[in-house]
Amino acid sequence: IWIDGTGINLRSKSRTLNSMVTSIKDIPDWNFDGSSTMQATTEDSEVILKPCAYFPDPFRGDDNILVLCSTYVWADKEKQKLKPAN
């Protein structure tokens, strides 16, 4: 779950992990096309999601979790450094 380029709207994606999450370090970074969320241009639209916190999912229950993320875009053409997307 993250805040899009409007600074108001929430966005989300779903993912299945192979093992139980016991630490924020267990949740890998992910990406999405940020051109549709006003967080990137269409020429360079990759936005990286970095997990910040997770909580038990009150809607799906069981071992499901909700993950809050920060968003980042590449700060250089070599794709070595990230900068905040918002």
Side-chain angles (χ1 to χ4, degrees):
I1 300 168
W2 70 95
I3 299 171
D4 72 8
T6 66
I8 298 170
N9 298 322
L10 294 177
R11 303 286 182 140
S12 66
K13 289 180 78 168
S14 295
R15 185 174 196 172
T16 300
L17 300 176
N18 292 328
S19 60
M20 182 78 136
V21 172
T22 59
S23 164
I24 196 74
K25 294 177 184 178
D26 296 337
I27 306 169
D29 291 353
W30 207 10
N31 67 345
F32 68 93
D33 180 345
S35 64
S36 63
T37 64
M38 296 186 280
Q39 291 174 284
T41 64
T42 55
E43 294 81 24
D44 190 15
S45 64
E46 182 179 37
V47 176
I48 309 299
L49 292 169
K50 290 195 162 285
C52 296
Y54 69 98
F55 304 92
D57 184 337
F59 306 105
R60 292 180 287 176
D62 295 324
D63 293 334
N64 296 297
I65 58 174
L66 299 176
V67 181
L68 302 182
C69 297
S70 292
T71 55
Y72 296 86
V73 293
W74 293 108
D76 59 344
K77 294 198 183 291
E78 296 77 31
K79 297 190 175 187
Q80 299 295 313
K81 297 178 185 174
L82 292 171
K83 65 180 181 180
N86 289 9

